[in-house]
Amino acid sequence: MVKKKQALGWIEWLIGWMYVTCELLFQRTKTSHLQNPLELPSLNDLTCIVTGTTSGIGKEIARQLAEAGAHVVMAVRNRKTANELIDQWCSSWAGILLNVEVMELDLLSLDSVVGFANTWNARLEPLHVLINNAGIFSIGETQKFSKDGFEEHLQVNHLAPALLSVLLLPSLIKGSTSRIINVNSVMHYVGFVDTEDMNTVSGKRKYSSLLGYTNSKLAQVMFSSVLHKRAPVESGVNVMCVSPGIVHTNVARDLPRIVQAAYHLIPYFLFSPQEGARSALFAATDPQIPEYCESLKTDEWPFCAFISQGCHPTNPSKEAHSVETSFEVWEKTLEMIGLPSDAVERLIEGKEVRCRYGTGKD
């Protein structure tokens, strides 16, 4: 019997960090062909839900989509801050009203996720783009759990976006051709998912915020790859992950010393939030993306579309290539978020699906 892999080997770990370091050093060179901000087409007929839009990359994504004419739904915890941002954006456009609204969403509560999805689906309106942007990296902090009992990085970065994506499928099908875009991270290259201990409670691995973050981002890629396969071409729903690049934030304290040194010595190479938003905006608006995603389904590719910070297709980590592990992550994730194993198929067929969280709990 083959022994189940327990962690990255040291060579795999080293290769992963070499990749992260190279991305840090050369991301500006790789993206020198891109405009900043990215030029967007008219988006007057597009409805987009974007999570985590009160700061950073998410704020830039929401603002630029709205300024291009899209109907943008800011899915946030802090409604007051979001409404203040909308007022600022409208003022900068000489009082022209942007088509932006705010809806409350707390990713640390799966009840909140279910309530948000039910409220939106009840409108019976099409959804064209879902951008799961919100995420956390609680640098150096001790392990924390949500009220649902899940490690916070895992819930905010993976479980809650996964639940939101599945539950919004009825609206995304109405918006066909539609897109689910998960803002991922180059840091998933040093992640490893133990499907028997996704919540990191067994004691087999010493917890750190870096471990929680990188593993949650890898889990997101793996789940997205299976969702990409489970949504048939006829549904018109396309699933992808994007890398924003390495954006200027205060994350270096939990990184290896060599990466810390690079992070502090060469700030020129780090992206601003506006630059980091380009890959998600490209994935949301480029007309060739649906055809590319469909071609990956046809070719039985092992993972979903992964768009680099340079706005071109690239490959996720070697771990993300494992079809077997990806399906284990899929099954475990559905179990954790309280959905039946056939939830996607039932929703695509227009049938009701019950979740143990929120208004759908038994």
Side-chain angles (χ1 to χ4, degrees):
M1 184 176 179
V2 179
K3 186 178 180 181
K4 189 175 178 66
K5 187 175 181 179
Q6 298 295 314
L8 290 180
W10 72 268
I11 293 179
E12 294 173 308
W13 182 88
L14 181 61
I15 291 173
W17 277 114
M18 287 176 61
Y19 186 90
V20 172
T21 303
C22 287
E23 288 295 290
L24 171 66
L25 293 173
F26 300 112
Q27 65 178 4
R28 285 206 175 276
T29 302
K30 292 180 178 180
T31 59
S32 60
H33 62 287
L34 296 177
Q35 293 179 312
N36 186 42
L38 194 71
E39 184 177 353
L40 300 180
S42 174
L43 304 175
N44 292 325
D45 297 324
L46 218 61
T47 295
C48 310
I49 292 177
V50 189
T51 67
T53 53
T54 54
S55 64
I57 296 171
K59 182 172 76 171
E60 284 297 323
I61 292 171
R63 179 183 63 80
Q64 292 184 50
L65 288 173
E67 290 178 353
H71 170 208
V72 177
V73 179
M74 299 174 70
V76 298
R77 283 190 300 172
N78 192 327
R79 295 172 62 97
K80 181 177 181 292
T81 301
N83 282 310
E84 289 173 351
L85 281 174
I86 295 172
D87 291 340
Q88 293 175 18
W89 297 341
C90 289
S91 296
S92 67
W93 275 69
I96 296 176
L97 293 178
L98 301 176
N99 190 7
V100 187
E101 65 174 300
V102 178
M103 291 180 63
E104 188 170 343
L105 173 64
D106 182 2
L107 297 180
L108 279 171
S109 166
L110 296 183
D111 286 344
S112 175
V113 175
V114 175
F116 179 97
N118 287 344
T119 298
W120 179 264
N121 287 335
R123 296 185 181 189
L124 301 178
E125 296 176 2
L127 174 61
H128 304 100
V129 179
L130 168 63
I131 302 180
N132 289 310
N133 163 76
I136 60 170
F137 190 176
S138 302
I139 303 299
E141 294 189 9
T142 57
Q143 189 173 20
K144 295 180 181 178
F145 295 89
S146 71
K147 69 177 186 179
D148 300 310
F150 302 119
E151 193 274 325
E152 287 191 352
H153 290 94
L154 182 70
Q155 175 149 339
V156 174
N157 299 341
H158 170 52
L159 297 178
L163 179 59
L164 184 64
S165 299
V166 173
L167 294 183
L168 285 177
L169 280 174
S171 295
L172 287 159
I173 291 171
K174 289 185 176 70
S176 176
T177 301
S178 58
R179 314 177 192 204
I180 298 173
I181 300 165
N182 295 308
V183 179
N184 201 257
S185 170
V186 67
M187 298 292 289
H188 87 271
Y189 280 85
V190 292
F192 177 82
V193 179
D194 181 351
T195 54
E196 297 177 356
D197 187 31
M198 287 180 64
N199 217 23
T200 323
V201 293
S202 69
K204 290 189 295 183
R205 298 174 293 169
K206 183 179 179 182
Y207 177 83
S208 70
S209 56
L210 178 62
L211 181 143
Y213 179 76
T214 57
N215 293 0
S216 67
K217 287 299 186 179
L218 177 58
Q220 183 183 61
V221 178
M222 290 177 159
F223 183 89
S224 300
S225 295
V226 181
L227 180 57
H228 155 76
K229 293 178 182 295
R230 292 294 179 96
V233 172
E234 296 76 24
S235 71
V237 179
N238 300 288
V239 184
M240 67 210 78
C241 293
V242 302
S243 171
I246 302 177
V247 182
H248 198 292
T249 57
N250 188 24
V251 301
R253 288 173 297 173
D254 207 33
L255 304 180
R257 292 184 182 278
I258 187 172
V259 182
Q260 287 186 43
Y263 197 92
H264 289 298
L265 290 174
I266 49 175
Y268 166 78
F269 294 95
L270 302 178
F271 282 169
S272 67
Q274 186 177 78
E275 291 169 318
R278 291 180 297 192
S279 56
L281 290 168
F282 172 82
T285 61
D286 186 81
Q288 296 182 340
I289 287 291
E291 181 180 353
Y292 173 65
C293 289
E294 290 175 8
S295 72
L296 299 186
K297 293 182 182 182
T298 303
D299 293 339
E300 290 298 315
W301 203 245
F303 44 82
C304 66
F306 196 97
I307 306 300
S308 74
Q309 66 268 36
C311 298
H312 59 74
T314 189
N315 291 338
S317 70
K318 184 178 178 181
E319 284 296 307
H321 288 58
S322 172
V323 174
E324 180 181 355
T325 305
S326 293
F327 273 100
E328 289 178 2
V329 169
W330 169 266
E331 292 172 351
K332 185 65 176 179
T333 298
L334 291 179
E335 177 187 329
M336 296 171 86
I337 61 180
L339 291 176
S341 60
D342 62 347
V344 170
E345 289 77 9
R346 290 179 62 84
L347 287 168
I348 288 173
E349 293 171 1
K351 298 177 180 178
E352 181 182 357
V353 168
R354 295 182 66 81
C355 178
R356 73 168 178 264
Y357 293 100
T359 57
K361 66 173 68 175
D362 292 326

Tab-separated table of all heavy atoms in Angstrom, residues 253 259 268 349:
chain	number	residue	atom	x	y	z
A	253	ARG	N	6.714	39.652	7.516
A	253	ARG	CA	7.232	39.192	8.796
A	253	ARG	C	7.148	37.683	8.985
A	253	ARG	O	7.885	37.114	9.778
A	253	ARG	CB	6.482	39.882	9.942
A	253	ARG	CG	6.830	41.337	10.107
A	253	ARG	CD	5.936	41.985	11.130
A	253	ARG	NE	4.541	41.952	10.700
A	253	ARG	CZ	3.531	42.333	11.475
A	253	ARG	NH1	3.754	42.718	12.709
A	253	ARG	NH2	2.294	42.298	11.016
A	259	VAL	N	13.357	35.777	1.651
A	259	VAL	CA	12.247	36.470	0.995
A	259	VAL	C	11.978	37.802	1.700
A	259	VAL	O	11.662	38.800	1.050
A	259	VAL	CB	10.984	35.584	0.991
A	259	VAL	CG1	9.844	36.278	0.266
A	259	VAL	CG2	11.295	34.248	0.323
A	268	TYR	N	10.392	48.628	-5.335
A	268	TYR	CA	10.026	49.000	-6.706
A	268	TYR	C	9.329	47.853	-7.418
A	268	TYR	O	8.458	48.073	-8.260
A	268	TYR	CB	11.284	49.407	-7.483
A	268	TYR	CG	11.065	49.470	-8.973
A	268	TYR	CD1	10.426	50.559	-9.576
A	268	TYR	CD2	11.471	48.412	-9.790
A	268	TYR	CE1	10.210	50.600	-10.949
A	268	TYR	CE2	11.262	48.449	-11.165
A	268	TYR	CZ	10.630	49.538	-11.734
A	268	TYR	OH	10.414	49.561	-13.088
A	349	GLU	N	-29.453	21.532	-12.738
A	349	GLU	CA	-30.721	20.995	-13.242
A	349	GLU	C	-31.930	21.801	-12.763
A	349	GLU	O	-33.070	21.484	-13.106
A	349	GLU	CB	-30.879	19.539	-12.794
A	349	GLU	CG	-29.864	18.593	-13.428
A	349	GLU	CD	-29.898	17.208	-12.802
A	349	GLU	OE1	-30.733	16.986	-11.877
A	349	GLU	OE2	-29.094	16.349	-13.209
